[in-house]
Amino acid sequence: LCYDSHMFTKQTHLESIYSTGAFLILRLNDEEETYQVAKAAIAGGMRALEVTYSVPGALNLVARLTKEHPDVLIGVGTVMDAPSAFAAYQAGARLIVSPHFNPELITVGNRYQCVVASGAFTPSEMVATAEAGADIVKLFPAEAVGPAYLKAVMAPLAHLPIAPTGAVNPGTVADWFGAGACAVGVGRYVSGAHRESGNYDDVSVATQTLLAAIAKARQS
């Protein structure tokens, strides 16, 4: 039997996140700025990103990015319910990210072979999220508790793929991965890297710096 990698769609998408250990959260107020940041981050090596629903023209942006970058996992964030998840899929998203636990949303993601990163905070929420079929348990809000909380949770729940979002930068990734993170969701460190200079090349540099720090953290 000859197996085509496309037969394993979800595994291929998950590899986009695990290959670098990161996904980028784009929560900006302008569609064109978000597009330019996304392009610069991809140029810097980012293989997975989410455009939050709060971005103007979010689904149009997703359609544009998926067409231009078929080798990158493009997703939608701040997905609140099943209809929003299906709309994201129809726009081309293959990554669905939510801030909370919604079983119907996870079901839709699994139905269409999308990677689902579903928000959870307490151990009970984390277990329920995994049992419902989420591929990644998104620790949110991570900045409120820090790596020490993740480390404590991972003691009994080491079998869960937990990814913190928030407070992620090159200075913190060693602590997050040391605590047991499977990946991290990065926001402002990369998405806002151009703000001071006005140069999107700074986004590419920030991406490279972050991914290098993650690679080093995962080796130790």
Side-chain angles (χ1 to χ4, degrees):
L1 289 174
C2 179
Y3 289 100
D4 187 328
S5 63
H6 292 293
M7 294 172 68
F8 301 99
T9 309
K10 181 173 279 197
Q11 286 89 333
T12 304
H13 294 331
L14 272 169
E15 183 56 31
S16 296
I17 296 175
Y18 290 139
S19 63
T20 63
F23 57 95
L24 175 61
I25 303 158
L26 293 168
R27 190 185 299 278
L28 302 168
N29 298 321
D30 180 82
E31 183 176 351
E32 186 59 27
E33 181 186 12
T34 305
Y35 174 74
Q36 295 299 337
V37 168
K39 298 285 280 189
I42 291 169
M46 192 65 67
R47 310 294 349 126
L49 57 87
E50 58 162 293
V51 178
T52 66
Y53 259 121
S54 60
V55 175
L59 296 186
N60 290 333
L61 196 50
V62 165
R64 187 177 176 188
L65 288 168
T66 53
K67 188 174 182 180
E68 294 176 8
H69 299 279
D71 57 330
V72 176
L73 179 61
I74 308 294
V76 176
T78 320
V79 180
M80 302 299 289
D81 49 35
S84 302
F86 183 63
Y89 166 76
Q90 285 188 306
R94 295 299 178 263
L95 168 65
I96 306 293
V97 185
S98 71
H100 67 307
F101 173 50
N102 180 305
E104 291 80 16
L105 178 158
I106 296 172
T107 297
V108 169
N110 283 328
R111 182 178 297 145
Y112 297 104
Q113 291 295 290
C114 296
V115 172
V116 180
S118 175
F121 189 73
T122 67
S124 295
E125 290 171 350
M126 292 173 183
V127 172
T129 299
E131 288 176 347
D135 301 288
I136 295 172
V137 178
K138 172 182 141 178
L139 172 58
F140 176 79
E143 67 267 25
V145 285
Y149 180 77
L150 177 59
K151 186 175 182 180
V153 166
M154 290 300 289
L157 302 179
H159 53 283
L160 295 184
I162 302 177
T165 64
V168 171
N169 58 62
T172 62
V173 292
D175 290 336
W176 283 121
F177 282 97
C182 69
V184 292
V186 60
R188 197 174 299 114
Y189 175 79
V190 169
S191 67
H194 63 293
R195 286 286 174 85
E196 203 169 304
S197 65
N199 187 345
Y200 288 106
D201 288 344
D202 289 343
V203 172
S204 299
V205 172
T207 302
Q208 292 168 342
T209 302
L210 179 82
L211 296 183
I214 291 173
K216 184 178 178 183
R218 290 168 110 188
Q219 286 169 358
S220 59

